[in-house]
Amino acid sequence: MPLRPLGLGDILNGAFALIRNHPATTLGLAFVVIAISATLSTLLSNGFLTEYERSLEQLMSGQISPEDPVMPVSGDSILLMMLGTAVNYLAVTLLTALLTSVVGMAVLGHKHTVSQVWTAVRSRLWSILGLSVLQYLIHFALAMVMVVLVLSGALVGAFLAATGSQALGALIALASVLLGLLGGLALFAWIGIRIYLAMPIVVLERLGPGRALARSWRLTQGNWWRMLGIVALTMLIVLGVSLILMLALGALAGLPMILAGGDWGLTAANTLGVVAEALTYSITAPFLAAVTTLLYIDLRMRREGLDLRLHWIAQQGVPVGPEIYRPEQHA
């Protein structure tokens, strides 16, 4: 990595180089973490899927009777499925934190083992989990704001259609819904980008969740459009790779059900599905974490002269840890 303010090419090339030069602590670590979480999530969701499939078969065959419950699945299976979703969310959060530490040290040419990465991150676990909860709540609140804006636009249009011209009301309703949707998306993107760097700050600067969000807000000031472009391009790359891998691997995962069927076929299909999910995340998660961390380092170099400090450390060749990124180290 060039120790200077980074361009788009530097960031993307650096992300690919990181994966290529540190396969054990990127691809291997991501595969293990996601494979474990996907297995747990699949086991927890199995009851829900079984009950839903049974109710669907009854519906298609016309065997539904008035005595059957209104809900096609039980409350316990829904709770277990939600727990499985939470396990996946926490696993991705932990993986992102671990990969962030890998990137922070790899910029200086240091290769850490998985155990060293875990040692560097484990003291930050509660802050990492706290940040993930705060970010989830913020994103959920923004999504609710978007829903309210869209519904408000629809209600305004419906009211005008009821009190006047239906054609004009329908046109205003459509325009109001579109404006509400665009307004909600703009608000989501603006706040999402401003807090986007909170995870590298929690991991590398050792700040708490609230202070990390505030620092990310300050650090991204004046760089929103540039960051939006880089993040959007990164998301498109990740989405494209994910779709290709999931379609190819998903087709393979479905073969046991076609060839064998029954419980054995379902078990084999679930196993291959877990492997497919782990393989997909093992490629996309390190790339996304690398781009995010390099964006953070780039802004630190542009605003705080972090590149001078990193140059000095690289020339000295002394062993360092995440403390190199603490702001007080640059006084």
Side-chain angles (χ1 to χ4, degrees), residues 181-193:
L181 181 61
L182 291 176
L185 288 174
L187 181 63
F188 193 97
W190 178 58
I191 295 179
I193 292 296

Side-chain angles (χ1 to χ4, degrees), residues 31-85:
F31 181 84
V32 171
V33 172
I34 298 301
I36 293 174
S37 69
T39 300
L40 291 175
S41 178
T42 300
L43 292 175
L44 290 170
S45 303
N46 189 57
F48 174 86
L49 295 175
T50 301
E51 292 181 10
Y52 180 80
E53 183 180 357
R54 182 165 58 254
S55 65
L56 190 62
E57 290 176 353
Q58 291 175 347
L59 179 64
M60 297 297 293
S61 62
Q63 297 177 359
I64 299 294
S65 66
E67 290 77 17
D68 290 329
V70 176
M71 287 290 292
V73 293
S74 66
D76 290 341
S77 63
I78 293 176
L79 288 176
L80 288 175
M81 184 191 67
M82 293 174 64
L83 180 59
T85 303

